[in-house]
Amino acid sequence: MKQLAKKEKNIPENEEYENTEAAEAADENDADNASGEPDEDIETVIVEDAEKSELDELKEKLAAQEDKYYRLAAEYDNYKKRTQREKDARYADALIDAAAGILPVVDNLERAMQVEVESEDAKKVLEGIAMVMKQLNDSFAKMNIKPIEALGKEFDPNLHNAVMHIEDDEYGENIVAEELMKGYIYKDERVVRHSMVKVAN
């Protein structure tokens, strides 16, 4: 009985000892915290905030670089389009100038084809002239140059050059009655040479 009582008495003593150790450990932790050393949770929050701030800064830099890239790409695209338009305009100018220089020769060939001949030799010459005219017209077609329609059309100052006016009941008001010299146009946009016409009424 004495031994059993002694054991029962020792139990609370051990519990008191363990509680004392836990209290001392808690006091030590409180002392560490009081000394100014941050705990692990606070350090984790600080690191996460720093990483988030750095990430936001990198995102801003990336957005700025993307904006710069898109602006540069748009400027380059505009530059290509502008230079292509300028190139096309220079090509058209050169083409129109060259065609305008050939047109007097075409006019003379057309006049030669209108001459009435009787001999076989002269007819063969006209046939040769007709073949040359066909080649010239084919070349003009490849260059997107074609004759301006004038005869029987309403007078258009953008396409026709009226050199004469006549009164004729066969034609309506402001209608081209006669084409004195054929005109030509490039791509239906730019006049190579205006048609010289006679306008009725």
Side-chain angles (χ1 to χ4, degrees):
M1 291 292 292
K2 290 182 179 180
Q3 292 178 351
L4 181 62
K6 187 176 182 181
K7 289 181 180 180
E8 290 178 353
K9 187 177 179 180
N10 289 338
I11 291 172
E13 290 178 357
N14 292 337
E15 288 180 354
E16 183 179 356
Y17 178 76
E18 290 175 358
N19 292 336
T20 303
E21 287 184 348
E24 290 177 354
D27 291 340
E28 288 179 359
N29 289 335
D30 292 340
D32 291 338
N33 292 335
S35 64
E37 296 180 1
D39 58 15
E40 293 181 358
D41 292 339
I42 295 175
E43 290 180 354
T44 302
V45 171
I46 293 173
V47 170
E48 289 179 352
D49 289 342
E51 290 178 350
K52 183 178 180 181
S53 176
E54 185 178 358
L55 180 61
D56 292 339
E57 184 179 352
L58 290 174
K59 286 181 178 179
E60 290 178 0
K61 289 182 179 180
L62 178 61
Q65 290 297 322
E66 285 182 346
D67 181 68
K68 183 178 179 181
Y69 168 76
Y70 289 130
R71 288 178 181 273
L72 182 62
E75 290 177 2
Y76 179 65
D77 186 57
N78 292 334
Y79 166 77
K80 287 198 301 182
K81 291 178 179 178
R82 184 174 63 254
T83 53
Q84 185 62 42
R85 287 195 300 268
E86 292 174 354
K87 181 180 178 181
D88 293 341
R90 288 195 298 269
Y91 174 77
D93 290 340
L95 193 64
I96 290 171
D97 289 343
I102 297 173
L103 288 180
V105 178
V106 175
D107 295 336
N108 289 330
L109 292 174
E110 286 182 343
R111 293 189 187 99
M113 291 177 61
Q114 294 173 0
V115 175
E116 295 183 2
V117 296
E118 295 180 357
S119 65
E120 292 298 325
D121 292 338
K123 290 179 180 179
K124 289 180 180 179
V125 171
L126 288 180
E127 289 177 359
I129 293 174
M131 292 176 63
V132 173
M133 279 297 303
K134 185 180 183 304
Q135 288 180 331
L136 285 171
N137 289 330
D138 291 342
S139 297
F140 281 157
K142 290 178 181 178
M143 293 186 290
N144 294 311
I145 295 175
K146 64 180 183 180
I148 295 173
E149 296 183 6
L151 190 61
K153 301 293 183 179
E154 184 176 359
F155 175 76
D156 185 352
N158 296 317
L159 303 175
H160 310 136
N161 182 18
V163 294
M164 293 180 66
H165 287 269
I166 61 170
E167 296 292 335
D168 195 331
D169 295 336
E170 293 182 3
Y171 297 96
E173 184 71 22
N174 212 31
I175 299 299
V176 175
E178 185 179 348
E179 184 181 52
L180 304 176
M181 186 170 67
K182 188 178 294 184
Y184 291 84
I185 189 169
Y186 172 69
K187 286 188 174 181
D188 293 327
E189 297 173 356
R190 296 182 58 182
V191 173
V192 180
R193 184 179 71 183
H194 289 77
S195 301
M196 293 181 61
V197 298
K198 185 187 295 184
V199 181
N201 307 316

